[in-house]
Amino acid sequence: MAGGGQAAVSFLTRMATVAAGIGVAASAASASLYTVDGGERAVIFDRLRGVLPKTEAEGTHFLVPILQKPFIFDIRTRPHSFSSTSGTKDLQMVSLTLRVLSRPDVDRLPDIFNSLGLEYDEKVLPSIGNEVLKAVVAQFNADQLLTERPHVSALVRESLTQRAREFNIVLDDVAITHLAYGPEFAQAVEKKQVAQQEAERSRFLVARADQERRAAIVRAEGESEAARLISEATTIAGNGLIELRRIEAAKEIAGVLARSPNVSYIPAGDNGQMLLGLNAAR
């Protein structure tokens, strides 16, 4: 019985040793494996050689436990927004908000990790974005930022893309999403618009006066020509034209009197003459 007990203890001891060995092996296998998900890349830090120059793509990979450690980078395009207050060429303050879509240069991930670390974009983009915005805005007057906004956006995009390349960052899109001026500039714009409206009104009044002057000249010339023609006709026809004008005037006066309600016609006698009399005021 004693021998059987010792055999059982020995068997259990061996089983425990095997289980421990299996556990250690499983732990070692787990520590030597790592997974890179879709849209990510891994940079390996080796305690003996430093950051390895090769990046690892998606999938499961092996490493040397304790000596090596993986650092995962998200290489998908990510949005970033930041604001800046800058001075224009005519010394007006303007607030701008810039939105960029950025991603790391996959081939230069080891360099990015060495110089900037995993949070490379948060360390670089706000600083170079403010720098570029201030440099570009200073080239334009305040009103040009509105009238030439596509040109301003193109300059910002070009300059910021070049600066980001120096840090191995790729920019897929750069856009100015907000632009606002200070209250002083808004008041200046309002005063300018009022002055322009007053100037337009003054130009209209001058143009109207000029047209009226020209019309008066034309009327005067017409009346002068009519007087000349009448004078010539009088000289040629003698008193005939004057008599004709007198008859026309008499007809016109007779027509006016005929339509007036205050005029009545009274027989004056047998000779057929008519006397004109005005009714007494009512």
Side-chain angles (χ1 to χ4, degrees):
M1 292 295 295
Q6 292 177 353
V9 171
S10 176
F11 175 75
L12 292 176
T13 302
R14 287 197 301 270
M15 291 299 295
T17 302
V18 171
I22 292 175
V24 170
S27 298
S30 175
S32 63
L33 295 175
Y34 67 95
T35 300
V36 180
D37 295 330
E40 297 178 341
R41 292 291 187 275
V43 172
I44 305 300
F45 173 72
D46 190 288
R47 296 182 184 275
L48 299 178
R49 295 175 292 171
V51 178
L52 301 183
K54 180 183 177 182
T55 59
E56 301 295 341
E58 297 93 339
T60 300
H61 305 276
F62 291 94
L63 55 75
V64 180
I66 301 176
L67 290 180
Q68 294 181 337
K69 182 178 179 180
F71 291 89
I72 307 300
F73 276 86
D74 186 351
I75 63 170
R76 291 168 292 192
T77 299
R78 294 191 295 177
H80 300 272
S81 296
F82 46 89
S83 300
S84 174
T85 300
S86 306
T88 62
K89 188 176 181 180
D90 54 352
L91 304 181
Q92 296 291 336
M93 299 306 296
V94 58
S95 299
L96 300 99
T97 299
L98 196 66
R99 180 187 62 85
V100 300
L101 298 178
S102 67
R103 57 185 173 85
D105 186 345
V106 176
D107 296 332
R108 306 302 297 274
L109 283 179
D111 296 332
I112 295 176
F113 182 75
N114 271 329
S115 58
L116 299 172
L118 293 175
E119 302 298 328
Y120 63 93
D121 47 0
E122 298 297 335
K123 295 177 180 178
V124 172
L125 291 178
S127 60
I128 65 174
N130 279 282
E131 172 192 346
V132 168
L133 278 177
K134 292 181 183 298
V136 172
V137 169
Q139 302 176 27
F140 297 88
N141 292 331
D143 55 346
Q144 290 178 319
L145 294 179
L146 294 175
T147 58
E148 302 181 21
R149 184 164 180 170
H151 179 49
V152 175
S153 296
L155 286 179
V156 171
R157 184 181 303 109
E158 180 181 357
S159 300
L160 190 57
T161 300
Q162 291 178 354
R163 291 287 287 124
R165 272 293 181 185
E166 298 176 7
F167 298 93
N168 302 312
I169 299 175
V170 180
L171 299 184
D172 293 327
D173 184 62
V174 178
I176 298 175
T177 58
H178 177 71
L179 190 152
Y181 296 98
E184 296 83 3
F185 179 76
Q187 293 175 1
V189 170
E190 183 178 357
K191 292 180 180 178
K192 182 179 180 180
Q193 291 177 343
V194 171
Q196 289 178 344
Q197 292 175 355
E198 290 294 332
E200 289 293 334
R201 183 173 180 274
S202 298
R203 281 194 290 268
F204 169 75
L205 294 176
V206 170
R208 187 175 68 178
D210 183 63
Q211 292 295 329
E212 291 177 350
R213 179 182 61 82
R214 294 183 181 182
I217 292 174
V218 171
R219 285 196 299 270
E221 291 177 350
E223 292 174 356
S224 176
E225 181 67 16
R228 185 184 64 81
L229 293 177
I230 292 173
S231 178
E232 291 178 355
T234 303
T235 302
I236 296 173
N239 295 330
L241 181 61
I242 296 176
E243 291 297 330
L244 178 61
R245 290 286 187 265
R246 187 178 298 167
I247 293 172
E248 291 176 352
K251 287 182 178 181
E252 183 177 354
I253 293 172
V256 172
L257 293 176
R259 291 191 297 271
S260 176
N262 296 326
V263 177
S264 60
Y265 297 88
I266 303 174
D270 296 335
N271 56 1
Q273 294 180 350
M274 304 291 290
L275 294 178
L276 300 179
L278 295 177
N279 295 332
R282 297 176 181 177

